Amino acid sequence: MTVIATGPATATASRAAGYTHAAAWIVGLAVAWGATPEVGDTHARIAAAYADRPVQAIAQALLVHGVAAAGLAVVGSGLLGWARRTGNATARFAGRAGTAAGALAFVQLALELIAVSGADPASPGRTGTLFEVVQRVDGVKMFALAALAAAACAASRHGSLLRHWEAVTGWALAVTITASGIGYLLPATSLTAMAFVSLPLLLVWIAALGAALGRRP
């Protein structure tokens, strides 16, 4: 009886986590739209933004790099479970990439909370540096997400996990988020703009991946 209940519970958790990831991102962006600093801002501007609107900045960090990261970690764990059941080594790599991306997001959360709590427009150096480190970590995280998408799509040949449109979306995500990652890691503002394409793809695809895992307990 316990074994029978474990499968559906895992499937439900993966599905819910995929939707939670998307919802947390959307709400997080909405609560702090225009209130948080952007890539390329000066240290003074970064510190001022955090000092002026700390509640919004913390709320966004908790949602985007806390709740969404937890959802991503659960989806990655679900993918690892599917890989174990099917013996799919490529899916196992994808699952590890997903859990690594979730862990990197938690690192970003910790750095952001330190940056916001210590923001001082009169001495912006520390806050500005922490913000820049968060962006570099974001770049590395994007590479992990690209690996997740590419490996999951490769592991799902012949529709063993993902439907055709889900696989196409995943490959598009892998390409665009790699470009975004380069932009955030360097940084190069011309490439960071790719996030306007890769982020919607990410939200749709992680939700779809969670739903796919939910279809295959």
Side-chain angles (χ1 to χ4, degrees):
M1 187 171 184
T2 301
V3 174
I4 293 172
T6 300
T10 302
T12 300
S14 296
R15 185 185 297 110
Y19 296 146
T20 298
H21 175 269
W25 259 103
I26 293 169
V27 176
L29 291 175
V31 299
W33 187 262
T36 52
E38 299 179 0
V39 177
D41 282 351
T42 63
H43 285 193
R45 193 168 180 179
I46 293 165
Y50 279 157
D52 290 344
R53 298 178 178 87
V55 174
Q56 288 171 278
I58 290 174
Q60 183 181 77
L62 289 172
L63 286 164
V64 169
H65 294 140
V67 177
L72 181 60
V74 172
V75 172
S77 178
L79 191 52
L80 285 171
W82 183 77
R84 283 193 298 271
R85 293 190 295 274
T86 59
N88 192 315
T90 307
R92 185 179 305 113
F93 174 81
R96 289 173 177 167
T99 53
L104 287 167
F106 283 124
V107 172
Q108 289 180 281
L109 173 60
L111 293 173
E112 283 179 303
L113 293 178
I114 295 170
V116 175
S117 62
D120 181 3
S123 182
R126 179 171 174 268
T127 298
T129 299
L130 284 170
F131 177 83
E132 290 171 356
V133 172
V134 169
Q135 307 318 306
R136 302 302 189 279
V137 175
D138 210 8
V140 177
K141 184 184 72 178
M142 289 177 187
F143 292 146
L145 289 167
L148 162 63
C153 291
S156 187
R157 285 174 296 181
H158 312 300
S160 58
L161 176 62
L162 299 172
R163 295 167 177 164
H164 178 70
W165 76 266
E166 294 167 341
V168 170
T169 303
W171 285 117
L173 169 63
V175 172
T176 56
I177 206 164
T178 296
S180 299
I182 295 171
Y184 275 79
L185 197 59
L186 288 180
T189 53
S190 59
L191 288 176
T192 57
M194 282 298 294
F196 289 102
V197 178
S198 63
L199 180 57
L201 288 173
L202 175 67
L203 303 189
V204 169
W205 189 76
I206 293 296
L209 176 59
L213 290 167
R215 293 193 299 268
R216 290 163 174 80

